[in-house]
Amino acid sequence: MNDLISIIIPVYNAGRTIDGCVESVLKSTYSDFEILIIDDGSNVETAEECDKVALKDHRIKVIHQENGGVSKARNCGIENAKGKFITFVDADDTVDSDLLASMMNAMRQEQADVVITGHRECYDDGSFKECFCSEKESIKCGTEILSEFFTTNNISWTVWAKLYTRSIIGDVRFQVGKRIAEDMYFNYEILKKAKTIVECGSPKYNYIKQDESAMASSDCSRFFDSFYLTKAVFDDIETNENHRTGKVFFYVRSGLFFFRMMYAKDRNKEAAEDIRNARRAFLDSIQDNTTALPRRMRLELFLLKYCEPLYRQQAKIYWGGTGRKCKV
C-alpha cells in the first residue's frame, strides 16, 4: 500500500464514455491503484453507469455529490484519496496500459515530486497529434522548474498525464467556481513547492478531442477565468525574485492568446465591456516590463495598445474565419 496511486476521475453526464475510460485504467500493468469516480451531480443515467462500472473491480469507489463543477469534484477526490501518489483522468479520455508504470518508475528513480508525460490529442476520424512530448526524459530541479513552466510549452496546463506525490499537493486545492485554467493555477501552486520534476518522453495519455469542449464553446464568459488566473500568477510576489522575466513572458503570451480568442469569439460584442476592462488591466500590469520580449510579441502588444480596432479585425480574420478553430 506504500506505493498506492489514487486515480481521480471527475464525471458529469459522461455515461457513454466512463466505461471505456475505466476499462483502459484497469488494463494497467501497474496494479497498486484505486479509482475514485466522483459523480458531480450527473443525470440518473450517468450516476447508474458509474455504480455499474464500480462493480467491475474492488479497487473502484464511486462518490456521488451535488453538482459543483470539476474543481469541486477533483477536490473531493483529493480529500478521499488513500494513495501516496495522485493522478487525474478525465471521464471521456483513455490511458495506455503502461502509463502508470512508466510514471511511477520515473517517480521512484528520481525521487521526484511530479512526473509529467505527453499526450495524444485524438480526433473522430482516427487521427491524432502528439502534444507536450520531448524526445527523451528530462529532469528539472529548483528554480529550473518554474522557469520551464513560464517560458516553454513542456509543462502543459492540464492535471491529467501527470503524477503527483500526495505530500507535494499538501493543502493545495482547485479553485471552485473557475471553469477554465483552474488546472493551470493548481499546477502553478504545486510547482512553486516542487524540488524535482521529471518530464517523460513518449505520450501515454489519450485526450479525446470534443467539439463541444470548453475551448470550442461560443460562451465567452468562462474564458475570463483564464485571464484572471494567469494575472494572479503574474501578480504573485512569492515568485518574483528569480522569475520576473519568465513571468512577464508567461503573462503576455497567455494574455495575447486570450485577446485574440476573445475578439474572434465575441462577434456581437456582447462581452465588449468585459474585454475592455481586461485589456486595461493587462496593459496596466505589464507597462514597461516588455523590453526582453521577442520582437513579434512586442509588435502584437503595440497593436493591442494603440491600434485596438485593427487588432480586433485581424483576430476575427485569422481566428474567427469559417472553419477555423482556436488552438493553444
Side-chain angles (χ1 to χ4, degrees):
M1 294 291 288
N2 289 336
D3 288 336
L4 179 71
I5 299 176
S6 294
I7 303 166
I8 298 171
I9 306 178
V11 177
Y12 179 70
N13 294 345
R16 293 177 298 174
T17 61
I18 184 62
D19 183 69
C21 173
V22 171
E23 277 292 335
S24 72
V25 176
L26 292 177
K27 293 176 182 177
S28 297
T29 57
Y30 187 90
S31 60
D32 192 7
F33 63 80
E34 64 170 356
I35 299 175
L36 299 175
I37 299 175
I38 314 299
D39 168 28
D40 186 42
S42 299
N43 55 35
V44 174
E45 176 188 2
T46 296
E48 291 179 348
E49 185 64 23
C50 290
D51 291 334
K52 180 180 178 182
V53 167
L55 298 176
K56 292 186 174 186
D57 195 287
H58 70 279
R59 294 170 293 182
I60 304 174
K61 178 182 179 181
V62 178
I63 299 175
H64 299 282
Q65 66 175 27
E66 292 184 3
N67 179 253
V70 66
S71 290
K72 184 178 179 181
R74 286 173 175 159
N75 288 342
C76 176
I78 294 172
E79 295 296 337
N80 286 275
K82 297 179 180 178
K84 183 178 178 181
F85 305 93
I86 291 177
T87 191
F88 300 89
V89 177
D90 280 358
D92 48 1
D93 297 339
T94 63
V95 302
D96 289 3
S97 60
D98 59 342
L99 170 69
L100 298 181
S102 64
M103 291 198 298
M104 182 57 79
N105 287 340
M107 181 72 77
R108 289 168 172 164
Q109 184 173 345
E110 303 300 336
Q111 294 295 297
D113 299 300
V114 183
V115 174
I116 301 162
T117 187
H119 68 271
R120 303 179 193 91
E121 192 171 275
C122 304
Y123 303 94
D124 290 339
D125 61 1
S127 63
F128 65 87
K129 179 176 66 175
E130 294 186 350
C131 305
F132 299 100
C133 303
S134 55
E135 294 182 359
K136 58 183 180 179
E137 185 177 286
S138 176
I139 303 166
K140 302 297 179 184
C141 302
T143 58
E144 291 180 312
I145 296 173
L146 281 181
S147 293
E148 187 89 343
F149 177 73
F150 290 139
T151 63
T152 77
N153 287 322
N154 296 334
I155 303 177
S156 69
W157 285 14
T158 66
V159 290
W160 38 258
K162 294 179 176 65
L163 181 66
Y164 307 84
T165 63
R166 180 61 181 264
S167 58
I168 199 63
I169 290 178
D171 60 359
V172 176
R173 295 294 183 269
F174 294 89
Q175 296 208 359
V176 176
K178 302 299 183 183
R179 295 170 290 176
I180 290 184
E182 77 291 337
D183 44 2
M184 176 280 296
Y185 197 78
F186 177 88
N187 279 326
Y188 170 67
E189 290 291 309
I190 296 294
L191 296 175
K192 281 169 60 175
K193 303 189 297 178
K195 295 181 179 179
T196 303
I197 66 170
V198 178
E199 299 167 10
C200 296
S202 58
K204 299 179 184 297
Y205 185 100
N206 304 301
Y207 165 56
I208 311 303
K209 188 72 172 178
Q210 303 286 345
D211 287 339
E212 63 271 25
S213 67
M215 290 304 294
S217 171
S218 60
D219 177 12
C220 291
S221 62
R222 66 183 63 199
F223 293 101
F224 288 96
D225 290 345
S226 174
F227 173 74
Y228 286 107
L229 284 174
T230 55
K231 187 176 186 303
V233 171
F234 179 72
D235 290 338
D236 183 8
I237 61 173
E238 289 185 26
T239 54
N240 276 358
E241 183 176 352
N242 298 310
H243 299 286
R244 188 63 187 175
T245 300
K247 286 175 71 175
V248 171
F249 181 87
F250 166 82
Y251 182 49
V252 172
R253 181 179 62 177
S254 302
L256 291 175
F257 172 81
F258 168 81
F259 289 108
R260 289 194 301 265
M261 179 176 60
M262 293 303 290
Y263 283 127
K265 283 181 173 292
D266 190 36
R267 287 187 167 274
N268 297 324
K269 298 187 177 182
E270 295 175 356
E273 183 176 355
D274 290 331
I275 294 174
R276 279 196 298 271
N277 291 336
R279 174 176 167 271
R280 187 180 303 113
F282 176 66
L283 295 173
D284 286 347
S285 295
I286 55 176
Q287 293 183 358
D288 299 325
N289 295 317
T290 62
T291 54
L293 293 174
R295 182 175 179 272
R296 182 175 178 178
M297 195 176 286
R298 285 186 279 117
L299 175 60
E300 188 173 349
L301 273 174
F302 179 87
L303 291 175
L304 178 63
K305 184 173 183 179
Y306 297 106
C307 308
E308 191 259 358
L310 176 61
Y311 188 91
R312 185 193 309 115
Q313 182 184 38
Q314 294 300 306
K316 290 179 179 179
I317 292 173
Y318 292 106
W319 279 55
T322 302
R324 295 181 185 270
K325 293 182 179 180
C326 300
K327 293 185 178 180
V328 178

